[in-house]
Amino acid sequence: MSLDLILLGTGSPVHVGHRFGPSQVITDGTTRILVDTGWAATVRLVQAGVPPQSIDAVFFTHLHSDHTTDLADFLVMRWVGGVRQAIPIYGPEGTKRMVHGFQEAMAADTKYRLDHHGDKLWPGGLAADVTEIEAGEERVEVARIGDIVVEAYEVDHRPVKPAYGFRFEKDGRSIAISGDTNPCRGLLNGARDADMLVCDSMNVAMMRQLEERLRSIGNTAQASLLEDAHDYHADIKDMAALAQEAGVKHLVLSHILPAIVDEQAAQFVVGLDAVFHGKLSVGHDLERFSA
Ligand SMILES: [Zn+2]
Ligand SMILES: [Zn+2]
């Protein structure tokens, strides 16, 4: 059985209709692991034919809003979907507080539904079993979900610290997820000889064009915020070079900045074939790949 990737959202914090918040599922056909819950991840799960109640565990790379805010919707839909046990959640330091906050935000809703539906719903509501993980630049096993081994490694998304990438392995197949990062030793270790790397992807030249366009229409505030994003997302060419050095076989671009449409894909990846010689895919929401 292969190890598959389902891209749910391939966008960034800024909402656009064609690339939703960063989120993906790793599955071997039996076990389903949700990595990050970016905005509208739960909608995408339903569209992908993966019911929220079928998810076995959730992993958070880091706690930026674009990777987390759909957790409330996910927990509610999973619960009303009939699950009667706590969801295992893994993430960096701060994950317990965040999960508790989402549960508190939904506390009135949870009570209304329990009062209304009685024991048709699990009284545990949105309960989660949260593990805050620790990892450095070397890969370390943090969980086994079904038959899938999960390793974590620290990446460089400063000032967001800690921020992690994950590597999922089963029967010699491997999928690494970069998380949000600049090229760094942790990612090099995490992606070493991986069958697939799902990679944070920013095209700096296209970002600069977008920033200039925003300035030209007077939106200097948003242009300035986008400029700050250059600090903690690397140019895609540097990431592709790292993937080559790591020996990655298939590089899947996600977290796409700026949020290009299909007609811009060739421009987005221009020059990458000079630095990365494996298979290259510009990811779309709801696209699936097998490792
Ligand atoms: Zn981030
Ligand atoms: Zn992000």
Side-chain angles (χ1 to χ4, degrees):
M1 182 98 46
S2 65
L3 195 59
D4 291 351
L5 165 76
I6 306 170
L7 293 173
L8 298 177
T10 59
S12 70
V14 180
H15 288 201
V16 293
H18 58 290
R19 292 188 183 278
F20 286 5
S23 180
Q24 51 263 300
V25 170
I26 304 290
T27 179
D28 61 1
T30 304
T31 299
R32 294 171 187 83
I33 300 172
L34 177 60
V35 186
D36 289 337
T37 57
W39 52 273
T42 312
V43 171
R44 287 297 196 219
L45 277 175
V46 173
Q47 290 174 324
V50 182
Q53 59 269 31
S54 75
I55 295 292
D56 296 292
V58 180
F59 284 76
F60 285 104
T61 57
H62 65 299
L63 304 185
H64 258 152
S65 64
D66 51 324
H67 298 254
T68 60
T69 55
D70 215 51
L71 181 64
D73 218 8
F74 168 76
L75 291 175
V76 175
M77 287 302 110
R78 175 181 181 274
W79 177 49
V80 301
V83 175
R84 302 184 81 85
Q85 60 191 31
I87 180 84
I89 295 179
Y90 300 81
E93 181 186 355
T95 303
K96 282 184 180 167
R97 181 183 176 195
M98 179 188 76
V99 171
H100 181 68
F102 279 121
Q103 289 164 332
E104 281 296 294
M106 303 314 295
D109 174 84
T110 306
K111 182 176 183 307
Y112 297 148
R113 292 185 195 283
L114 282 173
D115 288 349
H116 184 189
H117 299 292
D119 57 12
K120 292 178 202 164
L121 287 176
W122 182 51
L126 311 190
D129 182 7
V130 182
T131 304
E132 293 189 343
I133 59 175
E134 277 183 55
E137 289 180 336
E138 301 297 330
R139 276 152 46 191
V140 56
E141 183 178 323
V142 291
R144 277 174 193 250
I145 311 297
D147 294 330
I148 301 174
V149 176
V150 188
E151 295 175 315
Y153 45 93
E154 188 169 24
V155 294
D156 179 6
H157 192 38
R158 286 172 288 178
V160 180
K161 204 170 161 51
Y164 296 124
F166 296 114
R167 180 177 175 122
F168 302 87
E169 290 201 357
K170 182 187 174 185
D171 297 340
R173 312 305 295 174
S174 54
I175 299 176
I177 291 180
S178 72
D180 288 11
T181 185
N182 275 300
C184 61
R185 186 144 296 281
L187 180 59
L188 189 63
N189 292 334
R192 179 79 63 197
D193 298 322
D195 291 298
M196 196 184 297
L197 171 64
V198 185
C199 193
D200 178 8
S201 311
M202 181 169 72
N203 183 307
V204 170
M206 293 174 83
M207 280 289 276
R208 297 229 183 274
Q209 288 169 9
L210 173 63
E211 287 151 16
E212 277 167 30
R213 202 160 59 242
L214 286 167
R215 283 189 196 289
S216 74
I217 59 172
N219 195 343
T220 51
Q222 187 155 33
S224 171
L225 282 176
L226 286 177
E227 276 168 4
D228 287 349
H230 295 240
D231 296 345
Y232 52 38
H233 297 281
D235 187 55
I236 184 56
K237 213 173 263 185
D238 296 334
M239 295 295 264
L242 180 143
Q244 178 67 27
E245 186 183 348
V248 169
K249 296 178 186 69
H250 183 184
L251 181 60
V252 177
L253 307 186
S254 187
H255 206 300
I256 299 213
L257 282 165
I260 58 163
V261 293
D262 284 350
E263 294 71 46
Q264 297 170 296
Q267 186 190 350
F268 193 83
V269 300
V270 73
L272 289 200
D273 55 350
V275 291
F276 179 72
H277 309 308
K279 184 178 175 189
L280 177 70
S281 302
V282 180
H284 294 93
D285 288 23
L286 297 174
E287 201 168 10
R288 291 167 189 248
F289 298 99
S290 287

Tab-separated table of all heavy atoms in Angstrom, residues 145 186 196 219 252:
chain	number	residue	atom	x	y	z
A	145	ILE	N	1.180	6.606	14.321
A	145	ILE	CA	-0.269	6.670	14.147
A	145	ILE	C	-0.627	5.531	13.198
A	145	ILE	O	-0.236	5.559	12.021
A	145	ILE	CB	-0.714	8.033	13.553
A	145	ILE	CG1	-0.073	9.214	14.303
A	145	ILE	CG2	-2.243	8.132	13.548
A	145	ILE	CD1	-0.460	9.345	15.758
A	186	GLY	N	17.850	21.556	9.681
A	186	GLY	CA	16.751	20.687	10.084
A	186	GLY	C	15.975	20.170	8.881
A	186	GLY	O	15.664	18.976	8.792
A	196	MET	N	9.085	12.267	-1.262
A	196	MET	CA	8.342	13.492	-1.573
A	196	MET	C	8.626	14.537	-0.503
A	196	MET	O	8.740	14.217	0.681
A	196	MET	CB	6.835	13.177	-1.594
A	196	MET	CG	5.970	14.223	-2.255
A	196	MET	SD	4.221	13.788	-2.099
A	196	MET	CE	4.154	12.264	-3.026
A	219	ASN	N	-2.346	50.705	-1.317
A	219	ASN	CA	-2.440	49.778	-0.182
A	219	ASN	C	-1.041	49.515	0.386
A	219	ASN	O	-0.516	48.404	0.322
A	219	ASN	CB	-3.115	48.474	-0.635
A	219	ASN	CG	-3.564	47.632	0.555
A	219	ASN	OD1	-3.110	47.854	1.676
A	219	ASN	ND2	-4.438	46.679	0.314
A	252	VAL	N	6.929	18.884	-4.158
A	252	VAL	CA	5.563	19.385	-4.336
A	252	VAL	C	5.496	20.772	-3.712
A	252	VAL	O	5.672	20.927	-2.500
A	252	VAL	CB	4.536	18.446	-3.668
A	252	VAL	CG1	3.127	19.022	-3.786
A	252	VAL	CG2	4.598	17.053	-4.279
